[in-house]
Amino acid sequence: MKQTPAQIAAILETAADEAEKRYGAIDAPWGDWRRLKRGNVDLPANGGPGALGAFRVFNFAPANAAKRNAFMGDTFVCLVEFGNPTRARAITSYGNSSQEGSPHATDQLPLVAKKKMRTVLLTRKDVEANLESRDVF
């Protein structure tokens, strides 16, 4: 059904009123109402549902809330450049540990919020230079 310009204007006005009511403005930044929240960390999110073709896939809930938290999405993303030398960047969005109190439960969320990835340590020398601890058995 073709809509008239007046009908389209009315639909847009209704949508703008709803956005102002729910988010405070019709141009509210995505990260103001889509959040990456885990523990004490609360950062602006980016990305969206995979069905929309988003590169950073996140689903947010609750659906009708003014602020929605990411509850699932990209867990691990890795980009590899096969060259000489081989280079790689990766991100573990929801952290590298599910252990209570681990400093690695949220340490990569700031990178996710900034749309960045960490360098992958590919050589023994690089891994040993970045050890957090070492247990010898």
Side-chain angles (χ1 to χ4, degrees):
M1 174 171 128
K2 187 174 179 182
Q3 296 166 321
T4 67
Q7 289 171 318
I8 294 170
I11 291 168
L12 289 173
E13 188 172 338
T14 299
D17 289 345
E18 180 64 27
E20 283 184 335
K21 184 173 102 181
R22 186 175 287 179
Y23 310 116
I26 63 170
D27 60 348
W30 185 265
D32 283 359
W33 56 283
R34 302 280 183 155
R35 308 298 296 171
L36 297 169
K37 188 170 179 165
R38 186 165 186 201
N40 294 328
V41 177
D42 185 1
L43 298 166
N46 52 71
L52 297 180
F55 178 73
R56 294 237 178 198
V57 175
F58 288 108
N59 290 334
F60 299 90
N64 294 323
K67 283 199 175 188
R68 302 172 194 178
N69 297 316
F71 70 93
M72 66 175 284
D74 289 339
T75 301
F76 176 77
V77 175
C78 184
L79 302 171
V80 179
E81 178 185 351
F82 296 101
N84 190 10
T86 298
R87 297 185 302 175
R89 310 278 293 163
I91 194 75
T92 307
S93 301
Y94 296 106
N96 217 9
S97 174
S98 59
Q99 296 174 344
E100 186 95 15
S102 169
H104 304 294
T106 60
D107 62 347
Q108 293 184 49
L109 275 180
L111 290 173
V112 174
K114 294 175 185 171
K115 302 178 189 171
K116 301 212 181 256
M117 301 172 89
R118 62 180 167 77
T119 299
V120 176
L121 305 175
L122 298 174
T123 67
R124 181 181 186 109
K125 179 182 172 186
D126 288 341
V127 170
E128 288 179 346
N130 288 279
L131 287 177
E132 181 175 296
S133 66
R134 182 178 181 137
D135 294 322
V136 179
F137 297 98

